[in-house]
Amino acid sequence: DPTLRPFYSLLLDIQGAREESYQHLKAAHQLEPKNDSLLFQLGEKERQAGRVQEALELVRNASQLDPENPLYHSTLSQLYEKLGQKDFAAQEGEKARELTEAFEGYTQALDLATNGERRAAADVLEPLVQKHPAFVTGALFLAGLYSRMGREQQALDLYLTVVNRYPSQTAARQEAAWILAQRDLHEQALKTLGRPS
């Protein structure tokens, strides 16, 4: 069971069985190759073993699967630094800072929206979503706020922007299709869901 292996790997690590722990993580990754968390954990194991280039490759793959995770960018920055690639280290460090800022704004917007202050929440999120195209979590939340405020066209535009940038984003795809279906634009809704034309 791939969901149990990472926990089992952690327990083995605690007991000092590092190689067995590593093998269980590798097995979990083979069962779930698109699991960014497993890739990152494997990268950390490679880094601890001093295999910096291998660690870099794994963490880079994790970051491609979840480009808005600041931890991945921060770790990439450290790995590039170790390899003497200062420019890449600086770029990844900047991405980590920007995404950390974005998620801090997201937390603030979440608090405002929970207290019924949707407009204020949207005001916090709008510049962050514009500034950080990889910030999908914020974009989806903002689109949802637009929808709840009756600003359906803005919600639709934002959902479609996310779909265009990240075609695998099913949540954005479904929400956009739902708005189109409510407007009786069924053909467009089907296309948005991915039906071939």
Side-chain angles (χ1 to χ4, degrees):
D1 183 348
T3 59
L4 296 178
R5 280 183 187 268
F7 182 56
Y8 190 56
S9 170
L10 176 64
L11 292 175
L12 287 167
D13 220 11
I14 291 167
Q15 290 182 329
R18 307 233 183 274
E19 183 55 32
E20 198 179 345
S21 167
Y22 176 70
Q23 292 305 326
H24 275 282
L25 262 187
K26 278 184 82 170
H29 168 57
Q30 285 170 350
L31 292 166
E32 285 189 287
K34 297 293 186 188
N35 184 322
D36 58 278
S37 174
L38 289 174
L39 280 165
F40 179 74
Q41 289 174 63
L42 276 171
E44 282 294 282
K45 290 214 175 278
E46 296 288 9
R47 177 161 77 156
Q48 288 161 13
R51 297 185 289 265
V52 181
Q53 191 63 52
E54 290 85 344
L56 177 68
E57 191 59 35
L58 287 161
V59 177
R60 196 162 38 200
N61 288 341
S63 183
Q64 286 169 355
L65 290 168
D66 183 6
E68 66 178 355
N69 191 323
L71 174 61
Y72 297 170
H73 292 291
S74 177
T75 304
L76 281 171
S77 177
Q78 293 164 27
L79 291 168
Y80 279 125
E81 191 72 39
K82 278 191 177 182
L83 291 167
Q85 299 181 33
K86 306 277 186 199
D87 288 346
F88 286 126
Q91 286 170 20
E92 292 297 337
E94 184 58 27
K95 280 182 194 173
R97 282 187 291 279
E98 287 179 352
L99 287 165
T100 299
E101 173 196 40
F103 275 104
E104 284 168 358
Y106 174 79
T107 304
Q108 183 188 352
L110 196 56
D111 287 342
L112 288 165
T114 303
N115 292 326
E117 299 177 60
R118 291 176 184 157
R119 178 63 263 172
D123 287 343
V124 169
L125 280 175
E126 282 166 349
L128 293 172
V129 168
Q130 259 188 340
K131 186 178 174 185
H132 309 295
F135 187 34
V136 174
T137 300
L140 293 179
F141 187 47
L142 179 58
L145 285 172
Y146 285 152
S147 197
R148 288 192 290 282
M149 289 190 294
R151 294 161 61 179
E152 292 292 334
Q153 188 57 51
Q154 278 181 286
L156 177 61
D157 291 344
L158 192 48
Y159 284 130
L160 290 174
T161 298
V162 171
V163 169
N164 288 333
R165 282 187 188 139
Y166 305 100
S168 62
Q169 259 296 333
T170 54
R173 194 176 290 282
Q174 288 170 353
E175 292 294 337
W178 175 247
I179 292 170
L180 289 165
Q182 287 180 311
R183 295 179 176 181
D184 292 327
L185 299 170
H186 299 122
E187 194 61 35
Q188 279 182 255
L190 287 168
K191 282 180 183 175
T192 302
L193 284 173
R195 192 188 84 170
S197 54

